[in-house]
Amino acid sequence: MPDAPIADFHAVVPAGGAGTRLWPLSRSGYPKFLLDLTGAGRTLLQGTVDRLLPLTGPGNVLVVTGARHADAVVQQLPDLGAANVLAEPSPRDSMAAIGLAAAVLVERHGPDVVLGSFAADHVITDLDAFGATIREAVAAARTGAVVTVGIRATEPSTAFGYVRGGAPLGAPGAPHALRAVGFTEKPDAPTAAQYLATGEYSWNAGMFVVRAVVLLEHLAAQLPALHDGLRRIAAAWDTPDRDARLADTWPGLTKIAIDHAIAEPVAAAGGVAVVPGTFGWDDIGDFASLGTLLGDEEGGAATLGEADLVLRIDSDGALVTTGGRTVSVVGVPDAVVVDTPDALLVTTRAHAQQVKEAVDAWRERGRDDLL
């Protein structure tokens, strides 16, 4: 028998960002979380909600997204219900998004709610291990801790932030939970190697589990104006005054990530725990990581789209996404070719992080139609 949903647990899915390092597949009007980048027949957003519903039960997932994406989210998740899609008038970063969801959950369900925040555009494998990790995280959160999930580092990556684990938390139902000593930003290569060697550091995947009222208490202590604004909006969310409160309050909210607003200062005070996650995780941050994720063809090559439209000669490791016409790659190992109706990208896996520079350059030329 599968495990029952977790009592009083609600998942929050912030669905934002433009995924500029995955341009031209990902655009500001139709970003990567709305795309099927794995060939699974489900978009990244749909896959995220699919793995959360067994933990929350139906009706207990909230998606927070931009107003311009709200209709697409509702269309992709028809069973979610429009009331569980919170549309932001403008981007105010992750603290406003998650804080709004926390405040709305408290208004709707009372003070016992535990929320878990999970990005809409990550790929996770080994769902049994994922579920077990989140159940531990919820148990740890019931003690009053802010809990993050640390992904076991498999290499000294410079692409991720890190969280350092310390002494055991000792929380009932969370035998693997540790006190979090602190968070660090993306390190340089020698520092990342040192982190890996200690065994104390894991990748910070941006997953947070916490009692909603605890999150709001921390926010009130750290950024009282942001807290008060979000509580004011949430109190009106399910009333005719929602639009008025959004109009007069949302634009003035502080734009800050939850890591900086809460995780880092609360960790410094000893209030954050980390639960190690042993499941497979990828944030598909660029075409190099997408190629690795999809690279099951001969020579590590990868195709997103119709494989019979792609020809590779002396081009091991080439990633090609097809837009309906044939693509031939000759003598360019580790190439990245992304073919869309109005834009073609040619780069290499080694230069995948620079794709954002192309987006910036087209913006400077006034080609917003491409973005």
Side-chain angles (χ1 to χ4, degrees), residues 140-167:
R142 294 197 196 280
T143 69
V146 177
V147 184
T148 188
V149 175
I151 305 299
R152 182 175 58 191
T154 56
E155 60 181 355
S157 174
T158 60
F160 306 127
Y162 287 73
V163 56
R164 184 181 183 187

Side-chain angles (χ1 to χ4, degrees), residues 58-97:
N60 292 341
V61 176
L62 284 182
V63 177
V64 188
T65 193
R68 69 186 302 194
H69 304 132
D71 288 345
V73 169
V74 171
Q75 289 171 9
Q76 289 199 3
L77 302 170
D79 295 336
L80 196 68
N84 284 344
V85 177
L86 309 186
E88 303 174 306
S90 61
R92 306 308 296 161
D93 219 323
S94 59
M95 187 66 255

Side-chain angles (χ1 to χ4, degrees), residues 120-362:
D121 53 7
H122 293 178
V123 173
I124 287 174
T125 54
D126 193 347
L127 298 188
D128 287 342
F130 173 74
T133 298
I134 301 310
R135 290 177 186 276
E136 275 204 51
V138 172
R142 294 197 196 280
T143 69
V146 177
V147 184
T148 188
V149 175
I151 305 299
R152 182 175 58 191
T154 56
E155 60 181 355
S157 174
T158 60
F160 306 127
Y162 287 73
V163 56
R164 184 181 183 187
L169 182 67
H176 301 100
L178 306 171
R179 292 282 180 191
V181 178
F183 295 83
T184 54
E185 300 290 340
K186 298 176 183 178
D188 57 25
T191 304
Q194 291 173 7
Y195 288 171
L196 190 65
T198 68
E200 298 175 354
Y201 291 81
S202 51
W203 291 331
N204 175 17
M207 302 180 200
F208 293 98
V209 181
V210 60
R211 292 183 63 217
V213 291
V214 169
L215 182 75
L216 293 170
E217 287 168 0
H218 284 307
L219 186 57
Q222 301 294 333
L223 294 165
L226 178 55
H227 166 270
D228 294 349
L230 291 173
R231 295 301 295 263
R232 188 159 53 247
I233 293 169
W237 194 265
D238 293 321
T239 78
D241 294 331
R242 177 200 303 178
D243 290 344
R245 293 291 76 76
L246 283 171
D248 64 27
T249 305
W250 188 265
L253 297 181
T254 302
K255 189 173 184 178
I256 187 172
I258 190 172
D259 303 71
H260 302 316
I262 290 191
E264 293 169 2
V266 175
V272 175
V274 57
V275 174
T278 57
F279 48 86
W281 170 84
D282 201 309
D283 71 344
I284 317 185
D286 59 24
F287 284 112
S289 60
L290 179 60
T292 300
L293 187 70
L294 297 176
D296 57 359
E297 300 176 31
E298 184 177 355
T303 303
L304 186 62
E306 300 179 58
D308 59 358
L309 295 178
V310 180
L311 176 67
R312 296 178 184 84
I313 299 173
D314 293 333
S315 298
D316 286 356
L319 166 65
V320 178
T321 77
T322 62
R325 57 183 170 179
T326 60
V327 177
S328 305
V329 186
V330 181
V332 192
D334 289 330
V336 173
V337 181
V338 182
D339 187 21
T340 72
D342 64 340
L344 173 68
L345 171 72
V346 181
T347 184
T348 65
R349 294 198 192 201
H351 292 86
Q353 284 280 306
Q354 291 181 254
V355 171
K356 183 178 184 295
E357 296 176 21
V359 176
D360 294 339
W362 284 119

